[in-house]
């Protein structure tokens, strides 16, 4: 049973925009901090980089390299999160993964999360 599913990856030219979507379950959204990671060959050691994350209460955080260009948001009615990506550059080329990666605290209550990852969606930016 797949619990996290990404979509929206595509090939675009530099300066273009894309919106990635991630559908999951309401239980995962309520329990887990939701995050977008990316992994691309241009990164040292090809490590997975945390791009943005959002908590159930709407608190967000971004990697410095995407601040002002990417926006993460929740679509609670559809059990989904989105990543709006504007002004894309070649360095944004990567496979993007959605994850419920850790527990979260809101309303004074800690919610645990076992970790849930999608299969990823490819974003390719060309000059």
């Amino acid at each position: 049973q797949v619990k996290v599913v990404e979509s929206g990856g595509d090939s675009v030219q530099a300066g273009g925009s894309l919106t990635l979507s991630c559908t999951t379950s309401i239980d995962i959204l309520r329990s887990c901090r939701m995050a977008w990671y990316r992994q691309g060959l241009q990164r040292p050691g090809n490590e997975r980089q945390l791009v943005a994350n959002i908590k159930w209460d709407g608190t967000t955080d971004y990697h410095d390299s995407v601040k002002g260009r990417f926006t993460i948001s929740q679509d609670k009615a559809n059990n989904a999160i989105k990543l709006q990506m504007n002004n894309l550059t070649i360095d944004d080329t990567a496979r993007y993964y959605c994850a419920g990666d850790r527990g979260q605290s809101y309303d004074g209550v800690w919610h645990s999360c076992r970790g849930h990852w999608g299969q990823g969606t490819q974003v390719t930016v060309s000059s």
Side-chain angles (χ1 to χ4, degrees), residues 8-20 68-71 83-89 92 96 122-126:
D10 205 345
S11 297
V12 296
Q13 290 192 321
S17 298
L18 277 177
T19 300
L20 305 183
R69 299 189 300 123
F70 290 13
T71 302
L83 185 68
Q84 174 67 43
M85 306 185 295
N86 298 325
N87 194 21
L88 286 161
T89 72
D92 294 318
Y96 284 71
Q122 180 67 33
V123 173
T124 303
V125 185
S126 59

